[in-house]
Amino acid sequence: MALPKAVYVHIPFCEQICHYCDFNKVYLKGQPIEEYVKACEKEMKEAVSQFPYDHIETVYIGGGTPSSLSSQQLEPLLDSINQVFSLQKPREYTFEINPGNISDEKLSLLKSAGVNRLSIGAQAFQEDLLKKIGRAHDEKDIYRTIESARRMGFENISIDLMFGLPGQSVANFIESIEKSLELEIPHFSAYSLKVEEKTVFHQLQRKGKLPLPPEDDEVAMYDVLINMLTEQNYHHYEISNFSKNGYESLHNLTYWNNEEYYGIGAGAHGYVSGQRYANVGPIKKYINNVHSQGRPLLESHVVSTAEKMEEEMFLGLRKLEGVSISQFQNRFNKDPFEIFGNNIKRLKSEGLLKVEDDRISLTKNGLFVANEVFEKFLL
């Protein structure tokens, strides 16, 4: 069985809660951050002792808002990650930051710890839209943050954009893409809004107070995104991700390639030794469980062969290159057509899938209804 080569560390603290976010997060003020960092280190050590690794290739610190931690809080976290996983210049080490809350001191600390990629949550460039979705930054903060990052030597920078937001027009989204392109960022992630339960937007939607764009406008936003970025020689390599050559997110490809990884922190998910697991979410419960049990599991289960085959298909189809037929055969000693042949044939006849050489992949029409396609591969 292949050993995990990736690590995800979750930092659940935020200075402001965005109206769309359903990730595990809490307000920063008054939280036991130092205790949390120590608990993360203990969990890392316990995970590694139970499920050893050979070499870690990618690390991703996400949240929440990791950049909301002070330098004094970040330093021991970064040190423990480097020590527990014996990091020797990983191929990719990503740190999520919000515009406006990262100082040169923090950037220098990240750089010295080996972080070589930044993911910046811009989301939009219109200040009225940023306020509507609960973001704390403004347009100028985006420019200042990217300028600071480059001054401190960061070249591998990704920017997040969102579309389908309340009150957002197609023209708004085109403007955000244009302003992002002017920054010559090597990687884009662009996601349509999904209204999740337990969010401010869900509460507003229930009251009929969430003015979402028409579905046709949302489709037009995605279409213009694809066209504008591909025209500028960005590689559309995953449904929501675009990059210049050599700047694809290696860590996220771990997920889409259905490979194993450690998930560390409150509410984090992981996949090791054929087991998918989720950690408890509440901060104090996470800390207590780490100290009493070592691993703060909420749930864990061994992934069956049938589930692995399903995941191989619907995760792999997120990539524009799709699923490798020969790799599927090597992993499961079965042909994907033997398991999913009828659905592949039907989706191909509907113009949503294509089969070329060794690959099964989404067509452009399939990209627009990807979730419906994925559902066809659940046995």
Side-chain angles (χ1 to χ4, degrees):
M1 184 176 290
L3 299 175
K5 295 182 180 179
V7 183
Y8 173 78
V9 180
H10 189 70
I11 305 301
F13 308 112
C14 294
E15 292 170 286
Q16 184 165 327
I17 303 296
C18 301
H19 298 341
Y20 55 82
C21 180
D22 75 328
F23 292 122
N24 191 45
K25 77 282 182 189
V26 293
Y27 281 109
L28 177 75
K29 189 175 181 180
Q31 295 295 333
I33 297 172
E34 288 78 11
E35 290 179 55
Y36 182 81
V37 169
K38 290 177 183 176
C40 284
E41 179 178 10
K42 186 173 176 60
E43 187 197 354
M44 291 178 215
K45 290 178 178 177
E46 187 66 29
V48 166
S49 70
Q50 290 187 36
F51 306 104
Y53 63 89
D54 179 42
H55 174 69
I56 296 299
E57 294 189 352
T58 70
V59 179
Y60 195 109
I61 303 178
T65 312
S67 55
S68 65
L69 270 59
S70 69
S71 297
Q72 292 73 26
Q73 292 161 342
L74 272 175
E75 189 168 10
L77 174 71
L78 297 168
D79 286 347
S80 62
I81 293 171
N82 283 350
Q83 291 168 13
V84 175
F85 294 104
S86 304
L87 295 188
Q88 299 293 326
K89 293 187 176 180
R91 292 177 66 194
E92 182 183 278
Y93 192 159
T94 303
F95 190 88
E96 284 186 352
I97 62 177
N98 274 358
N101 79 343
I102 189 82
S103 63
D104 283 359
E105 180 186 13
K106 289 183 193 176
L107 287 169
S108 177
L109 179 63
L110 295 174
K111 191 76 175 173
S112 63
V115 173
N116 57 20
R117 182 176 185 270
L118 299 177
S119 178
I120 300 175
Q123 314 309 359
F125 280 73
Q126 298 75 33
E127 295 188 10
D128 61 331
L129 202 51
L130 289 168
K131 288 178 182 176
K132 283 181 184 176
I133 65 177
R135 300 296 283 175
H137 68 271
D138 59 25
E139 182 181 355
K140 290 179 182 178
D141 288 328
I142 300 172
Y143 300 126
R144 281 194 289 261
T145 297
I146 292 173
E147 181 185 348
S148 296
R150 284 180 165 151
R151 188 175 64 249
M152 299 303 291
F154 289 96
E155 297 177 2
N156 192 353
I157 298 173
S158 177
I159 195 168
D160 284 0
L161 296 177
M162 295 183 71
F163 60 95
L165 297 171
Q168 185 181 38
S169 66
V170 177
N172 286 154
F173 191 52
I174 290 173
E175 181 184 49
S176 288
I177 298 170
E178 288 173 340
K179 289 185 174 183
S180 299
L181 286 169
E182 289 172 4
L183 293 166
E184 298 183 336
I185 298 296
H187 189 280
F188 281 80
S189 293
Y191 300 96
S192 63
L193 173 68
K194 184 179 179 184
V195 179
E196 304 281 4
E197 291 186 14
K198 299 179 182 178
T199 63
V200 172
F201 277 171
H202 185 252
Q203 295 170 9
L204 290 173
Q205 188 178 57
R206 289 179 61 191
K207 296 175 183 177
K209 297 181 179 180
L210 191 68
L212 297 176
E215 187 175 339
D216 287 350
D217 281 6
E218 188 173 338
V219 170
M221 290 179 200
Y222 186 47
D223 193 39
V224 77
L225 171 77
I226 294 171
N227 293 334
M228 289 181 69
L229 291 184
T230 53
E231 283 172 7
Q232 295 299 316
N233 298 315
Y234 283 83
H235 174 212
H236 187 191
Y237 71 99
E238 191 270 346
I239 290 174
S240 303
N241 286 271
F242 304 77
S243 75
K244 293 292 187 178
N245 285 337
Y247 287 93
E248 296 83 0
S249 172
L250 300 178
H251 183 84
N252 287 336
L253 281 166
T254 298
Y255 306 146
W256 304 322
N257 288 331
N258 200 19
E259 296 170 344
E260 298 195 352
Y261 60 96
Y262 298 100
I264 303 297
H269 292 244
Y271 183 26
V272 293
S273 194
Q275 300 176 48
R276 289 200 180 273
Y277 66 89
N279 284 346
V280 295
I283 307 305
K284 290 185 178 178
K285 188 171 184 181
Y286 168 79
I287 293 170
N288 291 337
N289 284 18
V290 166
H291 291 300
S292 63
Q293 302 170 18
R295 295 186 66 217
L297 298 181
L298 173 66
E299 58 185 14
S300 175
H301 82 280
V302 175
V303 182
S304 69
T305 300
E307 288 174 311
K308 288 179 181 178
M309 290 190 291
E310 292 173 358
E311 292 170 354
E312 189 79 8
M313 295 302 296
F314 67 71
L315 290 171
L317 285 171
R318 292 195 63 89
K319 300 176 295 179
L320 271 288
E321 68 174 20
V323 175
S324 165
I325 297 169
S326 59
Q327 181 173 295
F328 189 101
Q329 291 171 325
N330 290 337
R331 281 191 173 184
F332 305 110
N333 202 28
K334 289 184 179 181
D335 189 298
F337 295 94
E338 181 183 345
I339 310 299
F340 304 106
N342 289 337
N343 286 334
I344 293 172
K345 184 178 179 181
R346 186 180 307 114
L347 291 164
K348 187 180 176 186
S349 70
E350 293 171 359
L352 304 178
L353 279 188
K354 57 186 176 181
V355 181
E356 297 176 343
D357 299 324
D358 185 48
R359 295 281 172 181
I360 304 169
S361 58
L362 294 171
T363 63
K364 186 171 183 181
N365 286 341
L367 289 172
F368 289 86
V369 290
N371 287 334
E372 295 174 29
V373 174
F374 300 156
E375 287 175 3
K376 305 299 184 186
F377 293 96
L378 298 176
L379 296 172

